[in-house]
Amino acid sequence: MRSSVFLAFLLVLSACNTGKHKETASDATIAVQQEASSEVNDVDLEIYDYDGFEAFLNKKDNKVHVVNFWATWCAPCVKELPYFEQLNASYADENVEVLLVSLDFPHLYESKLKPFILKNKLASKVIVLDDPDMNRWIPKVDSLWSGSIPATVIYNKHERKFFEQSFTYSELENELKSFLN
Amino acid sequence: MKHMKNISIVLIMMLLLSAFTVPTKGANDGYKIGDVVSDFKLKNIDGNMVSLADYKEAKGFIITFTCNTCPYAVMYEDRLIALDKTYAPKGYPVIAIMPNNTSLSPGDSFEAMNERAKTKGFTFPYLIDKEQTVYSKFGAKRTPHMFVLQKTDKGNVVKYIGAIDDNYKDASAVNTKYVENAVNALLNGKEVEQKETKAIGCTIKA
């Protein structure tokens, strides 16, 4: 089931690619590429070290915050991103906010991360955590985190749960609901 | 009454969910600091089978669970080679084990491992955990994941678990070399100070 979702996702991705290549004349292709790169420049990435990022894990407002750690190179993360997007869209009016924290490598922000955000039209807020001293900050996110991704924190001002696992949409929704009741 | 039924369905579902969660957690626990490691027999890229017992002269081992396809693992390849060059002559050789399911991660196939080792000039064995039993016994969670073992009368004892150092991006900007510090301490007959560290890595594909 999961692999079929992923396959569908791949198909969609490749469909996008072939779509672009259908512009037959080489000039047109160049124009498309230029357009794409200017769009990439329009993506404003907020980049934080852990000290700057920490506030995102400790908001004292009336919202439920779903914070997902992911990266474009992490296949299981990419597979579950649509579920976080769906959650963000479906529960926005119930005071739920999804934050996608990318752990992509800095030298790939322009070539991989920004194009990925554009191509997948990510609607949830995406920020980047760039802090190589991982042994210092991983335990601060959660003492149980071994460091593998995907990993997710769900919290409100009263309670907090940490998950070092992949989610299906219904698993994710169930966890969220325990915060909404 | 209807309400009761709903509650019981929810309860049953919760029970089912927890039934699925618990065993995976148990299986992932793996070795702790101070545990004695049971030996393994895994196929090296040269076709030979490799066990810890083959290393009669070794004082211990630097075991790494690594692969071709994880960018973090790739960023650490040169540092693995350097570790092996420094510490194999001192009795602590590097042994690399590739834990991924190759049907899920074709870039880590036996052939691809061979190619990668040749391209990079690996000086150490690069073993395939084909049955995926060794990494789970160790409790390796990601690539790269390091285990430093010391050979004792009891067997090979786990002395350090974690990252190689504290900067994956830039070897020249590293402040603390966790694995080197651990092996140096063991070579000097001292206690390893920092026994465990954490790092982001790629989840092992099971």
Side-chain angles (χ1 to χ4, degrees), chain A residues 3-19:
Chain A
S3 58
S4 64
V5 171
F6 186 58
L7 273 178
F9 185 59
L10 278 179
L11 276 172
V12 169
L13 277 181
S14 60
C16 295
N17 280 334
T18 39

PDB file of all heavy atoms in Angstrom, chain A residues 3-19:
ATOM      1  N   SER A   3       3.987   1.405  -0.764  1.00  0.00           N
ATOM      2  CA  SER A   3       4.835   1.491  -1.950  1.00  0.00           C
ATOM      3  C   SER A   3       4.018   1.955  -3.140  1.00  0.00           C
ATOM      4  O   SER A   3       4.535   2.620  -4.021  1.00  0.00           O
ATOM      5  CB  SER A   3       5.518   0.157  -2.218  1.00  0.00           C
ATOM      6  OG  SER A   3       4.552  -0.822  -2.385  1.00  0.00           O
ATOM      7  N   SER A   4       2.713   1.627  -3.137  1.00  0.00           N
ATOM      8  CA  SER A   4       1.921   2.068  -4.278  1.00  0.00           C
ATOM      9  C   SER A   4       1.712   3.579  -4.232  1.00  0.00           C
ATOM     10  O   SER A   4       1.692   4.240  -5.263  1.00  0.00           O
ATOM     11  CB  SER A   4       0.587   1.329  -4.340  1.00  0.00           C
ATOM     12  OG  SER A   4      -0.188   1.633  -3.217  1.00  0.00           O
ATOM     13  N   VAL A   5       1.587   4.107  -3.023  1.00  0.00           N
ATOM     14  CA  VAL A   5       1.483   5.567  -2.902  1.00  0.00           C
ATOM     15  C   VAL A   5       2.756   6.208  -3.435  1.00  0.00           C
ATOM     16  O   VAL A   5       2.729   7.170  -4.193  1.00  0.00           O
ATOM     17  CB  VAL A   5       1.266   5.980  -1.425  1.00  0.00           C
ATOM     18  CG1 VAL A   5       1.385   7.492  -1.271  1.00  0.00           C
ATOM     19  CG2 VAL A   5      -0.101   5.522  -0.943  1.00  0.00           C
ATOM     20  N   PHE A   6       3.880   5.606  -3.052  1.00  0.00           N
ATOM     21  CA  PHE A   6       5.168   6.138  -3.483  1.00  0.00           C
ATOM     22  C   PHE A   6       5.307   6.053  -5.002  1.00  0.00           C
ATOM     23  O   PHE A   6       5.756   6.992  -5.649  1.00  0.00           O
ATOM     24  CB  PHE A   6       6.288   5.358  -2.790  1.00  0.00           C
ATOM     25  CG  PHE A   6       7.645   5.925  -3.067  1.00  0.00           C
ATOM     26  CD1 PHE A   6       7.939   7.236  -2.740  1.00  0.00           C
ATOM     27  CD2 PHE A   6       8.624   5.154  -3.666  1.00  0.00           C
ATOM     28  CE1 PHE A   6       9.187   7.773  -2.983  1.00  0.00           C
ATOM     29  CE2 PHE A   6       9.868   5.691  -3.935  1.00  0.00           C
ATOM     30  CZ  PHE A   6      10.152   6.994  -3.590  1.00  0.00           C
ATOM     31  N   LEU A   7       4.862   4.908  -5.551  1.00  0.00           N
ATOM     32  CA  LEU A   7       4.924   4.727  -6.995  1.00  0.00           C
ATOM     33  C   LEU A   7       4.098   5.801  -7.694  1.00  0.00           C
ATOM     34  O   LEU A   7       4.534   6.407  -8.662  1.00  0.00           O
ATOM     35  CB  LEU A   7       4.395   3.345  -7.377  1.00  0.00           C
ATOM     36  CG  LEU A   7       5.433   2.227  -7.360  1.00  0.00           C
ATOM     37  CD1 LEU A   7       4.771   0.904  -7.708  1.00  0.00           C
ATOM     38  CD2 LEU A   7       6.547   2.531  -8.360  1.00  0.00           C
ATOM     39  N   ALA A   8       2.913   6.026  -7.128  1.00  0.00           N
ATOM     40  CA  ALA A   8       2.037   7.042  -7.713  1.00  0.00           C
ATOM     41  C   ALA A   8       2.742   8.395  -7.696  1.00  0.00           C
ATOM     42  O   ALA A   8       2.729   9.136  -8.673  1.00  0.00           O
ATOM     43  CB  ALA A   8       0.733   7.120  -6.927  1.00  0.00           C
ATOM     44  N   PHE A   9       3.416   8.659  -6.573  1.00  0.00           N
ATOM     45  CA  PHE A   9       4.139   9.903  -6.399  1.00  0.00           C
ATOM     46  C   PHE A   9       5.239  10.024  -7.455  1.00  0.00           C
ATOM     47  O   PHE A   9       5.395  11.045  -8.115  1.00  0.00           O
ATOM     48  CB  PHE A   9       4.736   9.887  -4.981  1.00  0.00           C
ATOM     49  CG  PHE A   9       5.412  11.152  -4.593  1.00  0.00           C
ATOM     50  CD1 PHE A   9       4.729  12.352  -4.572  1.00  0.00           C
ATOM     51  CD2 PHE A   9       6.744  11.140  -4.242  1.00  0.00           C
ATOM     52  CE1 PHE A   9       5.351  13.515  -4.220  1.00  0.00           C
ATOM     53  CE2 PHE A   9       7.381  12.304  -3.880  1.00  0.00           C
ATOM     54  CZ  PHE A   9       6.688  13.497  -3.869  1.00  0.00           C
ATOM     55  N   LEU A  10       5.978   8.909  -7.665  1.00  0.00           N
ATOM     56  CA  LEU A  10       7.041   8.891  -8.666  1.00  0.00           C
ATOM     57  C   LEU A  10       6.464   9.159 -10.057  1.00  0.00           C
ATOM     58  O   LEU A  10       7.025   9.902 -10.844  1.00  0.00           O
ATOM     59  CB  LEU A  10       7.744   7.526  -8.678  1.00  0.00           C
ATOM     60  CG  LEU A  10       8.821   7.315  -7.613  1.00  0.00           C
ATOM     61  CD1 LEU A  10       9.390   5.918  -7.731  1.00  0.00           C
ATOM     62  CD2 LEU A  10       9.934   8.343  -7.783  1.00  0.00           C
ATOM     63  N   LEU A  11       5.323   8.503 -10.306  1.00  0.00           N
ATOM     64  CA  LEU A  11       4.682   8.675 -11.603  1.00  0.00           C
ATOM     65  C   LEU A  11       4.327  10.135 -11.829  1.00  0.00           C
ATOM     66  O   LEU A  11       4.569  10.689 -12.894  1.00  0.00           O
ATOM     67  CB  LEU A  11       3.415   7.815 -11.686  1.00  0.00           C
ATOM     68  CG  LEU A  11       3.652   6.361 -12.092  1.00  0.00           C
ATOM     69  CD1 LEU A  11       2.369   5.564 -11.962  1.00  0.00           C
ATOM     70  CD2 LEU A  11       4.179   6.313 -13.514  1.00  0.00           C
ATOM     71  N   VAL A  12       3.773  10.743 -10.767  1.00  0.00           N
ATOM     72  CA  VAL A  12       3.406  12.159 -10.875  1.00  0.00           C
ATOM     73  C   VAL A  12       4.652  12.985 -11.172  1.00  0.00           C
ATOM     74  O   VAL A  12       4.658  13.832 -12.057  1.00  0.00           O
ATOM     75  CB  VAL A  12       2.738  12.643  -9.564  1.00  0.00           C
ATOM     76  CG1 VAL A  12       2.596  14.156  -9.565  1.00  0.00           C
ATOM     77  CG2 VAL A  12       1.373  11.998  -9.410  1.00  0.00           C
ATOM     78  N   LEU A  13       5.741  12.681 -10.444  1.00  0.00           N
ATOM     79  CA  LEU A  13       6.996  13.404 -10.649  1.00  0.00           C
ATOM     80  C   LEU A  13       7.471  13.261 -12.089  1.00  0.00           C
ATOM     81  O   LEU A  13       7.796  14.237 -12.748  1.00  0.00           O
ATOM     82  CB  LEU A  13       8.086  12.864  -9.719  1.00  0.00           C
ATOM     83  CG  LEU A  13       8.092  13.412  -8.297  1.00  0.00           C
ATOM     84  CD1 LEU A  13       9.237  12.782  -7.528  1.00  0.00           C
ATOM     85  CD2 LEU A  13       8.239  14.924  -8.308  1.00  0.00           C
ATOM     86  N   SER A  14       7.472  11.997 -12.577  1.00  0.00           N
ATOM     87  CA  SER A  14       7.994  11.776 -13.928  1.00  0.00           C
ATOM     88  C   SER A  14       7.053  12.400 -14.946  1.00  0.00           C
ATOM     89  O   SER A  14       7.478  12.905 -15.979  1.00  0.00           O
ATOM     90  CB  SER A  14       8.210  10.291 -14.191  1.00  0.00           C
ATOM     91  OG  SER A  14       6.989   9.615 -14.070  1.00  0.00           O
ATOM     92  N   ALA A  15       5.744  12.394 -14.626  1.00  0.00           N
ATOM     93  CA  ALA A  15       4.782  13.025 -15.524  1.00  0.00           C
ATOM     94  C   ALA A  15       5.105  14.508 -15.666  1.00  0.00           C
ATOM     95  O   ALA A  15       5.066  15.063 -16.756  1.00  0.00           O
ATOM     96  CB  ALA A  15       3.369  12.834 -14.996  1.00  0.00           C
ATOM     97  N   CYS A  16       5.471  15.144 -14.551  1.00  0.00           N
ATOM     98  CA  CYS A  16       5.831  16.559 -14.594  1.00  0.00           C
ATOM     99  C   CYS A  16       7.032  16.766 -15.504  1.00  0.00           C
ATOM    100  O   CYS A  16       7.056  17.673 -16.324  1.00  0.00           O
ATOM    101  CB  CYS A  16       6.200  17.081 -13.205  1.00  0.00           C
ATOM    102  SG  CYS A  16       4.815  17.049 -12.074  1.00  0.00           S
ATOM    103  N   ASN A  17       8.006  15.864 -15.364  1.00  0.00           N
ATOM    104  CA  ASN A  17       9.220  15.987 -16.164  1.00  0.00           C
ATOM    105  C   ASN A  17       8.924  15.885 -17.649  1.00  0.00           C
ATOM    106  O   ASN A  17       9.334  16.726 -18.432  1.00  0.00           O
ATOM    107  CB  ASN A  17      10.217  14.896 -15.797  1.00  0.00           C
ATOM    108  CG  ASN A  17      10.946  15.270 -14.528  1.00  0.00           C
ATOM    109  OD1 ASN A  17      11.063  16.444 -14.224  1.00  0.00           O
ATOM    110  ND2 ASN A  17      11.396  14.271 -13.802  1.00  0.00           N
ATOM    111  N   THR A  18       8.182  14.812 -18.019  1.00  0.00           N
ATOM    112  CA  THR A  18       7.916  14.617 -19.441  1.00  0.00           C
ATOM    113  C   THR A  18       7.132  15.801 -19.963  1.00  0.00           C
ATOM    114  O   THR A  18       7.336  16.236 -21.081  1.00  0.00           O
ATOM    115  CB  THR A  18       7.153  13.315 -19.712  1.00  0.00           C
ATOM    116  OG1 THR A  18       6.201  13.155 -18.690  1.00  0.00           O
ATOM    117  CG2 THR A  18       8.087  12.135 -19.775  1.00  0.00           C
ATOM    118  N   GLY A  19       6.244  16.332 -19.147  1.00  0.00           N
ATOM    119  CA  GLY A  19       5.461  17.494 -19.547  1.00  0.00           C
ATOM    120  C   GLY A  19       6.369  18.617 -20.014  1.00  0.00           C
ATOM    121  O   GLY A  19       6.142  19.199 -21.073  1.00  0.00           O
TER     122      GLY A  19
END
